[in-house]
Amino acid sequence: MHCYLIGVSHANTPIYIREKIFFSEYKKIQTLEMLSEKGLDGVIILSTCNRCEIYISTDDMEKDCKIVKDFFVNYFNVENIDDYLFEKKDIDAITHIYRVAAGLDSMIVGEDQILGQVKDALENSIDLGTSSKYLNKLFREAITTAKQIKNKLKISENPISISYIAVKMLCEKLNDLKDKKIVVVGTGKIGFLTISYLAENGARNIFCVNRSYDKVQKLIKIYPFIKYFDYDDRYNLIKDADILITSTTSPHTIIHKKDIQKSDKQVIMLDLSMPRDIENDVKNLKNVELYDIDSISKISEENIQKRQKLGSEAINIIEDAISEFCKWADNMSVDKAIKKLNEQCDIIYKDTMSYINRKVELNHREQKIVEKMLLSALKRMIKAPIQVLKQTDEKQRQNEYIKILEELFDIR
């Protein structure tokens, strides 16, 4: 069994391209079903702010990789998409998902959100029936290893997330947030986390804009000073704001340059969404400083230091975990061959018993004796090759034995 992945990520793809290569929940379901119908063994899609990746398990690497790559390129129809695509196979693909789950490949190193997104990607594929035994094991082991790394390195005690860095940047730029008028559009996971960091840093003049009051109501119970405004009031609030923070899941921009009223007041705008909420041309407005998730991450020296520290301490944990997974994966091919061999024996057993019953009249006791003797003889015949197969540690020789068994017993 082989592993293959194709995708784009923040490492080599700018945000204006990434927001075009993105699966909504509906498109994710649609794509998983479409690829599964093409006969792929297993498919998982991981689509986040910083990456869009398709993972598959396959016995026919050449054929299935071409299917997935052609689909990826044609589905998004982005000009020069090959300039941004990366592909990984087998051990490189395995290592990649372990690093991703642990937050080592994140723009904000060690951030917790990616682990939940990896879990969701796996559960989504399992629910739709598009995953496989191989991918299930791979993703679950990557998730388990990520948890071990986070617990051992105590990352949660030193939160490093896009929300944390964004608020820290505001504190450095403005010194005091207490009297600043802050408009937050979107109160999902990122919005909730951002507001909590704002509150921790003294912000008390926070205006929440959301399509639904229910989510904001939960926030107000925790932070009574928050004021709720309807989504349609967003431009009126921006006019007098010191800070605008957006973090919605909208598939298109919700803040446009043409609708922002001119003001002499300096405003810092932070767009924490992907695709972006704020039109890029807004940065050309007078007195506006606009930051997206890429630009916010780049300015954090602490994040770079954290990446280096986490990477050096986590790499041994990941390497040990990958070694164990690879042993399991190697045995999976052995188990598959043994299963086919046992299935062939069952076919021979049933055919033979059917023939005997047609030719000879046996009472119940005699039939049970013959069945037991026949099964025992068949099991003895395959016992030796199975033992040799299981005891062979050398991968190349093991593959040769499997191939010989498939040819000799016609179990391809």
Side-chain angles (χ1 to χ4, degrees), residues 62-79:
E62 186 176 350
K63 177 177 74 70
D64 290 344
C65 289
K66 186 177 187 307
I67 288 173
V68 178
K69 183 172 183 179
D70 288 347
F71 175 86
F72 200 99
V73 171
N74 295 328
Y75 186 83
F76 291 107
N77 194 28
V78 173
E79 188 176 358

Side-chain angles (χ1 to χ4, degrees), residues 1-5 32 40-45 54-58 93-94 97 118 122 125-126 130-143 325 328 332:
M1 185 63 67
H2 299 281
C3 183
Y4 169 77
L5 87 88
L32 285 169
L40 297 177
D41 176 70
V43 189
I44 293 178
I45 293 176
I54 298 179
Y55 294 77
I56 68 166
S57 55
T58 174
I94 292 166
I97 188 57
V118 172
L122 172 60
S125 289
I126 291 175
T130 68
S131 189
S132 63
K133 181 180 178 181
Y134 180 96
L135 288 180
N136 289 348
K137 177 73 172 179
L138 173 60
F139 270 62
R140 283 170 179 156
E141 291 302 316
I143 290 165
F325 172 79
W328 174 87
M332 188 180 176

Side-chain angles (χ1 to χ4, degrees), residues 284-323:
N284 297 322
L285 289 172
K286 183 183 177 182
N287 297 326
V288 170
E289 286 184 56
L290 175 61
Y291 299 89
D292 58 32
I293 54 176
D294 284 7
S295 54
I296 291 169
S297 302
K298 286 177 183 175
I299 64 174
S300 174
E301 179 63 30
E302 181 179 349
N303 182 52
I304 296 171
Q305 293 172 358
K306 187 76 176 179
R307 183 189 298 271
Q308 293 170 344
K309 181 176 183 293
L310 180 61
S312 61
E313 292 186 27
I315 195 68
N316 289 336
I317 299 174
I318 288 178
E319 285 181 349
D320 289 344
I322 289 174
S323 177

Side-chain angles (χ1 to χ4, degrees), residues 60-228:
D60 192 337
M61 182 76 88
E62 186 176 350
K63 177 177 74 70
D64 290 344
C65 289
K66 186 177 187 307
I67 288 173
V68 178
K69 183 172 183 179
D70 288 347
F71 175 86
F72 200 99
V73 171
N74 295 328
Y75 186 83
F76 291 107
N77 194 28
V78 173
E79 188 176 358
N80 299 324
I81 192 172
D82 284 334
D83 294 343
Y84 306 104
L85 282 177
F86 70 92
E87 299 174 82
K88 292 182 183 292
K89 300 178 181 180
D90 291 328
I91 190 64
D92 291 334
I94 292 166
T95 302
H96 183 78
I97 188 57
Y98 272 81
R99 290 180 60 85
V100 168
L104 293 180
D105 198 63
S106 294
M107 184 178 289
I108 309 300
V109 69
E111 51 102 354
D112 290 328
Q113 193 175 10
I114 185 61
L115 182 55
Q117 291 165 334
V118 172
K119 287 181 189 175
D120 291 343
L122 172 60
E123 289 173 4
N124 194 28
S125 289
I126 291 175
D127 290 344
L128 292 171
T130 68
S131 189
S132 63
K133 181 180 178 181
Y134 180 96
L135 288 180
N136 289 348
K137 177 73 172 179
L138 173 60
F139 270 62
R140 283 170 179 156
E141 291 302 316
I143 290 165
T144 299
T145 303
K147 288 178 180 177
Q148 291 172 355
I149 290 171
K150 289 179 184 296
N151 290 334
K152 184 175 182 179
L153 302 183
K154 306 297 181 185
I155 298 172
S156 58
E157 293 179 7
N158 300 286
I160 300 293
S161 67
I162 192 70
S163 302
Y164 175 84
I165 291 177
V167 174
K168 182 180 178 183
M169 184 188 79
L170 290 173
C171 292
E172 290 173 353
K173 281 181 169 290
L174 303 174
N175 296 321
D176 188 1
L177 301 180
K178 185 177 180 181
D179 298 321
K180 302 299 181 184
K181 179 178 179 180
I182 304 172
V183 177
V184 179
V185 183
T187 53
K189 291 180 181 178
I190 295 177
F192 190 98
L193 195 58
T194 303
I195 288 170
S196 68
Y197 288 138
L198 288 170
E200 285 176 15
N201 285 276
R204 292 296 180 269
N205 201 18
I206 301 175
F207 298 78
C208 273
V209 175
N210 208 62
R211 294 185 186 275
S212 168
Y213 177 64
D214 292 341
K215 287 186 177 180
V216 180
Q217 194 173 26
K218 294 177 183 177
L219 273 166
I220 292 174
K221 286 181 180 179
I222 303 171
Y223 307 109
F225 51 82
I226 289 175
K227 303 173 186 67
Y228 168 73

